[in-house]
């Protein structure tokens, strides 16, 4: 439970961290995250004696190809999120992560041929009305919410279909992104310089970004192994809730009437969705008791 609170709490407070780097190019922030994350991930794998599995996964084309796809998805997600936070669209970003579980369900039906229960269908229908209202009232930021929701949903789908351990898969993804990160930093150096080395606070924050990226993922892996999925699924809404509150209360983002109605419907959909998940898990436990 502490691990779950830690990972979702850290993810929810990410806007506070990235706003400290508002003067740095968002793509550079992501490239720095990639490079410093890789060092930390390799250190963790070494401590866990997981480097042989990591090297084997890198050599296996059947694993590398889908992990390359998931790496692209998480890269798109990171760049979009950092840009949104630093451009003052934290509320739109939080909406993306509220929508993500519902997009996961839709992909499960379309790709994995999973069947929806009636409460799930109702939850998606209610949330879809909310998205339609948002499209009409906040069209300029809708792409942020949908990009974050769909990129992370496709990332999760690819990871679900790829038979690799969480930390090993994360290490491969980060390794595959590293050449792109280095190429971008070299390009940036030749076009005016990078934020890294600009001053001590900025450099320190960019180095810390590796831990900010990796530590929540490690905590999530611990929580996912030890908590029921229904509990974990309900707790995942802590992160976008904290992001939403940060945007409105700390950074003064304004909510239009359409956005408030949209959020209300999406939250109703999430409550229906989460309630059904809890009820189903309870029935399954009783059946196997």
């Amino acid at each position: 439970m502490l691990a779950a609170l830690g990972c979702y709490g850290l993810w929810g407070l990410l806007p506070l961290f990235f706003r400290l780097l508002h003067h740095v190019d968002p793509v550079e922030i992501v490239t720095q995250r990639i490079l410093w994350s890789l060092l930390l991930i390799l250190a963790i794998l070494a401590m866990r004696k997981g480097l042989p599995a990591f090297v084997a996964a890198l050599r296996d084309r059947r694993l590398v190809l889908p992990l390359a796809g998931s790496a692209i998805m998480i890269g798109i997600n990171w760049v979009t999120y950092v840009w949104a936070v630093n451009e003052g669209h934290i509320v739109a970003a939080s909406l993306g992560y509220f929508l993500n579980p519902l997009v996961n369900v839709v992909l499960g039906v379309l790709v994995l041929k999973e069947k929806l229960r009636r409460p799930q269908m109702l939850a998606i229908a209610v949330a879809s009305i909310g998205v339609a209202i948002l499209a009409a009232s906040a069209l300029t930021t809708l792409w942020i919410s949908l990009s974050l929701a769909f990129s992370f949903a496709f990332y999760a789908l690819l990871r679900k279909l790829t038979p690799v351990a969480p930390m090993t898969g994360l290490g491969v993804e980060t390794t595959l992104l590293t050449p792109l990160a280095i190429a971008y930093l070299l390009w940036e150096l030749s076009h005016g310089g990078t934020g890294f080395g600009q001053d001590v606070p900025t450099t320190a924050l960019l180095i810390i970004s590796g831990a900010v990226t990796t530590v929540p993922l490690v905590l999530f892996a611990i929580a996912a192994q030890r908590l029921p999925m229904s509990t974990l699924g309900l707790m995942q809404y802590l992160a976008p809730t904290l992001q939403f509150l940060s945007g409105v209360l700390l950074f003064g983002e304004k909510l239009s009437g359409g956005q408030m109605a949209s959020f209300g419907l999406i939250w109703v959909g999430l409550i229906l969705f989460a309630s059904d998940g809890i009820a189903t898990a309870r029935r399954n436990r009783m059946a196997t008791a």
Side-chain angles (χ1 to χ4, degrees), residues 50-286:
L51 288 178
F54 164 72
V55 173
L58 270 177
R59 293 176 175 174
D60 190 338
R61 179 181 289 184
R62 293 171 300 176
L63 295 179
V64 168
L65 289 178
L67 287 174
S70 62
I72 292 171
M73 289 296 105
I74 199 64
I76 292 171
N77 187 273
W78 285 349
V79 171
T80 304
Y81 183 78
V82 174
W83 180 89
V85 168
N86 286 345
E87 291 296 318
H89 300 303
I90 298 172
V91 169
S94 71
L95 175 60
Y97 291 110
F98 277 120
L99 285 174
N100 175 251
L102 301 175
V103 177
N104 286 339
V105 173
V106 173
L107 286 180
V109 172
L110 297 178
V111 180
L112 303 178
K113 307 303 179 183
E114 297 175 353
K115 293 185 177 180
L116 288 179
R117 296 182 293 274
R118 286 186 178 180
Q120 290 177 314
M121 295 173 65
L122 178 60
I124 292 173
V126 171
S128 297
I129 296 171
V131 173
I133 293 174
L134 185 68
S137 62
L139 190 59
T140 55
T141 58
L142 180 63
W143 71 270
I144 297 172
S145 305
L146 295 181
S147 295
L148 290 172
F150 277 90
S151 61
F152 203 75
F154 277 106
Y155 171 77
L157 177 64
L158 287 167
R159 288 303 303 269
K160 180 178 179 63
L161 296 174
T162 307
V164 64
M167 283 303 299
T168 302
L170 182 61
V172 173
E173 289 168 345
T174 310
T175 300
L176 294 173
L177 289 172
T178 295
L180 295 175
I182 293 173
Y184 182 83
L185 288 176
L186 291 174
W187 177 86
E188 198 171 37
L189 279 170
S190 66
H191 289 75
T194 65
F196 188 84
Q198 187 180 96
D199 53 64
V200 173
T202 298
T203 302
L205 287 170
L206 288 172
I207 293 173
I208 293 170
S209 69
V212 168
T213 300
T214 305
V215 170
L217 290 169
V218 175
L219 292 174
F220 176 78
I222 295 170
Q225 289 176 346
R226 302 182 183 183
L227 282 178
M229 285 306 295
S230 57
T231 303
L232 199 64
L234 192 60
M235 292 182 70
Q236 72 180 321
Y237 302 120
L238 173 63
T241 299
L242 288 174
Q243 293 169 13
F244 174 81
L245 293 175
S246 296
V248 174
L249 300 179
L250 297 182
F251 298 111
E253 291 190 30
K254 303 298 182 182
L255 288 176
S256 66
Q259 283 178 310
M260 293 177 66
S262 173
F263 268 87
L265 287 167
I266 289 168
W267 277 330
V268 169
L270 291 174
I271 291 169
L272 291 170
F273 179 75
S275 300
D276 175 68
I278 293 171
T280 301
R282 186 179 293 119
R283 287 195 298 269
N284 290 340
R285 285 197 299 269
M286 292 178 63

